[in-house]
Structure formats: C-alpha cells, structure tokens
Amino acid sequence: MAKELGLVPSWSAKVLFNLSSDNPGPFILVGIPGLEQAHVWIGIPFCVLYIVAIVGNCILLYLILVERSLHEPMFFFLCMLAVTDFTLSTAGVPKTLSIFWLGAREVTFPGCLTQMFFIHCSFVLDSAILMAMAFDRYVAICSPLRCNTILTPKTIIKIVVGISFRSFCIILPVVFLLTRLPFCRTRIIPHTYCEHIGVARLACADISINIWYGFCVPIMTVISDVILIAVSYILILCAVFRLPSQEARQKALGTCGSHVCVILMFYTPAFFSILAHRFGHNVSHTFHIMFANLYIVIPPALNPVVYGVKTKQIREKVTILFSIKGTL
C-alpha cells in the first residue's frame, strides 16, 4: 500500500520485509547503558568472579566424583548445582566480557535465542535443585533412619530427570514465542545478554503473550519452589527443636547452614531483578542491568566457596587436595 502511494521506495520495502522475516539480522547488545566509559574496569570483577566460578565448581565436581565418601544424595544434588551454575555463568559472562573489552556487541538471532534459553533454563533449574536439596535435608533430619530407603539412587535419578525436564519444558515455549515475532524496529538491546522480555520488546507486534507467559509461568514455578523450601525448613526446625540436646540441635542446624546461605544468595538478586523489571518503572535502568547480572555471576562464584567453608566433609577433602599438591 505504501509502495503504491510512493511513500516507501522499493528497496525500503525489501528491507522491511527482510527485518520481519523468520531469520532477522544480528542484535546489538549495548552492555550497561550510561557506563560505557567504565566497561573496561567493570569487566575486571566480572572476569575475577567468572574465574572463581569455573575453578570452584570444577574442584567441587572433581571432589564429589572422585571421593567415594561424598557419594551421598546431598552431594549428588550439589554436583548437579555446580554443573548448572557452570552453565549459567558460561552462557552470560564470556559474551559480557567480549562487549566490555572487545566491543563485540553483535549477536545473531539464533545465538541470542540460545543464550537466552540456557540462562533462563539454568535459573529455573537452579531453583528446582535448591528445592530438591531442601527435601534431602528434610529427609536426613526428620527421618534419618529411613534416609537410605527413601533417597535411593533410583529415586535421585528420577528427581534429577524430573526437575531437568520440567525446566526444559517451561523455558522452551519462550523460544517459540520469540521466533513467531516480526522484528522491524531497532535491534539494540540495552543489556549485557539476551533475555526474553528485553528481546520481545523490540518486536513490532503484540507481545502480551510473551509478557504474561514470561512473567507468570517461570515466576510461579520459582515461587512454588520457594514455598516448598520454606515448608521443608519449617518442618526441619520443628524436628530440630524437639531434639533432646543442644549439641544435637546445633549439629542438625549446621548441616543446613550452607544450603540456607546459597538459597539467600540465589533468590535475593533474582527476585529483585525480576520484580524491578516488571514493576520498577522508577528504578534506574543502569542499576537494573547491574543487578540483573548479579544472579549470573554471584551465585556460581560463591556457591562452591560457601559449601567448601561450611560443609565439613568438603572442607576436609579440599584441605587434603591442596596439601597433597603442595608437597609435590
């Protein structure tokens, strides 16, 4: 119609057609808007945290896989948490550093979808693993004599497959919700990585389904995990305070200390980022982007440190590992 009226030349019509095709051109990741001049310096703590995450989670995986004394349900879930944290940080941080240090801001549409899928899927899976670990602590403290019969290897495999499949099924529709959208406006994403709503808002079509699915389904899933974790710890506390001695109570609570720290580190920045993105219209966009990056760098870096410091079995194995290397 516009072409017939002479308002849009033929080459512009072709460009608009290409922009709205099934395979749009590359997107541009800005990084942290307003702090472009400081990107080089901001990248340093990101890099340090990423290295800590990679090294810490690799050491954790090595110890759990090699040491037979750590072949217990809690440590199998911890092993899965380390793999998921590794995936979460690797999906986001390398591209962020390439933006900060190399100015490599372009990302293809398939690359953007892939990064988005792994970041969101890892986040939902992390939440499910924390829920499974809370269930493990509940069984270990409230039914210690039945722990080996309840959490059998077969049961653990079913839990791992179930929460992995759940996370996959929750996030996969997000990819299809984005591929159906035509992109005929700017492709500049004011962020350090691709995330669902940020990409959807660039489309020149109604994104109501994206907004409601992207907010309601993953968030309600994570909230259900939080509720189940809270119920588990309420039951754990009730069981702990019924123990006869102070020493027994402290020992029982000590086994949960590292898990509680990890829960707080994971959910606090995640929920703040999600709620600020949906409701925080008065929150500075720069502050929002900075905070959104916390849950892809802080938990993966600090989780192995927390478990290494607060879990006696892991702390002893790490000490033995480094003392052996020091004598070589």
Side-chain angles (χ1 to χ4, degrees):
M1 181 77 171
K3 182 181 176 182
E4 293 173 0
L5 296 175
L7 298 177
V8 181
S10 59
W11 61 268
S12 297
K14 292 179 181 179
V15 170
L16 289 175
F17 176 79
N18 290 333
L19 288 176
S20 61
S21 65
D22 292 335
N23 188 22
F27 291 91
I28 306 297
L29 291 166
V30 173
I32 304 177
L35 295 178
E36 288 85 357
Q37 300 300 321
H39 274 177
V40 174
W41 300 106
I42 296 173
I44 295 174
F46 273 76
C47 183
V48 171
L49 287 170
Y50 181 60
I51 292 172
V52 171
I54 297 301
V55 174
N57 284 297
C58 285
I59 291 175
L60 205 58
L61 286 169
Y62 173 78
L63 290 175
I64 294 172
L65 293 175
V66 171
E67 296 292 337
R68 295 186 62 85
S69 61
L70 299 180
H71 290 180
E72 299 176 8
M74 181 182 75
F75 296 109
F76 280 119
F77 289 130
L78 183 55
C79 187
M80 187 179 181
L81 183 67
V83 173
T84 308
D85 282 344
F86 184 94
T87 305
L88 177 63
S89 58
T90 301
V93 178
K95 182 58 183 178
T96 298
L97 293 178
S98 71
I99 295 169
F100 288 167
W101 289 346
L102 304 176
R105 292 179 169 85
E106 285 194 0
V107 58
T108 63
F109 186 61
C112 192
L113 292 179
T114 302
Q115 184 189 49
M116 180 208 67
F117 174 81
F118 279 106
I119 288 177
H120 292 337
C121 190
S122 297
F123 172 74
V124 176
L125 184 55
D126 258 347
S127 178
I129 295 169
L130 293 177
M131 177 186 64
M133 295 174 78
F135 174 70
D136 167 73
R137 290 299 84 205
Y138 164 75
V139 173
I141 293 174
C142 298
S143 303
L145 299 179
R146 300 175 55 206
C147 185
N148 292 332
T149 57
I150 295 175
L151 290 174
T152 62
K154 187 176 181 180
T155 302
I156 294 172
I157 291 173
K158 287 181 179 178
I159 292 173
V160 170
V161 172
I163 60 178
S164 300
F165 184 70
R166 187 196 74 161
S167 303
F168 178 83
C169 291
I170 288 170
I171 301 302
L172 186 63
V174 172
V175 176
F176 291 104
L177 286 174
L178 284 179
T179 55
R180 72 182 181 87
L181 295 174
F183 293 92
C184 56
R185 291 201 294 263
T186 178
R187 294 206 185 88
I188 298 175
I189 304 174
H191 212 307
T192 55
Y193 57 84
C194 294
E195 52 92 21
H196 174 216
I197 300 302
V199 176
R201 283 177 175 162
L202 301 180
C204 50
D206 182 25
I207 60 169
S208 300
I209 297 177
N210 295 73
I211 292 174
W212 285 109
Y213 186 91
F215 181 73
C216 293
V217 177
I219 296 306
M220 293 308 297
T221 303
V222 173
I223 288 175
S224 68
D225 292 344
V226 172
I227 292 172
L228 291 173
I229 290 171
V231 170
S232 297
Y233 272 96
I234 290 171
L235 296 174
I236 287 171
L237 288 174
C238 292
V240 166
F241 288 123
R242 286 199 298 265
L243 294 175
S245 67
Q246 180 71 19
E247 183 180 352
R249 288 195 290 268
Q250 289 179 347
K251 184 177 179 181
L253 290 174
T255 62
C256 300
S258 54
H259 186 226
V260 172
C261 291
V262 169
I263 288 172
L264 293 175
M265 286 190 306
F266 176 77
Y267 285 114
T268 302
F271 273 119
F272 181 88
S273 175
I274 292 167
L275 294 175
H277 193 83
R278 184 69 180 87
F279 300 110
H281 302 296
N282 296 325
V283 178
S284 167
H285 194 63
T286 299
F287 181 77
H288 167 72
I289 300 301
M290 286 290 291
F291 218 85
N293 281 278
L294 291 183
Y295 75 77
I296 69 169
V297 292
I298 298 294
L302 295 187
N303 285 352
V305 176
V306 169
Y307 276 103
V309 171
K310 296 186 70 68
T311 306
K312 183 180 177 182
Q313 299 99 311
I314 295 178
R315 185 170 64 246
E316 290 175 349
K317 299 302 179 182
V318 170
T319 303
I320 293 171
L321 177 65
F322 282 99
S323 63
I324 291 174
K325 288 185 176 181
T327 58
L328 293 178

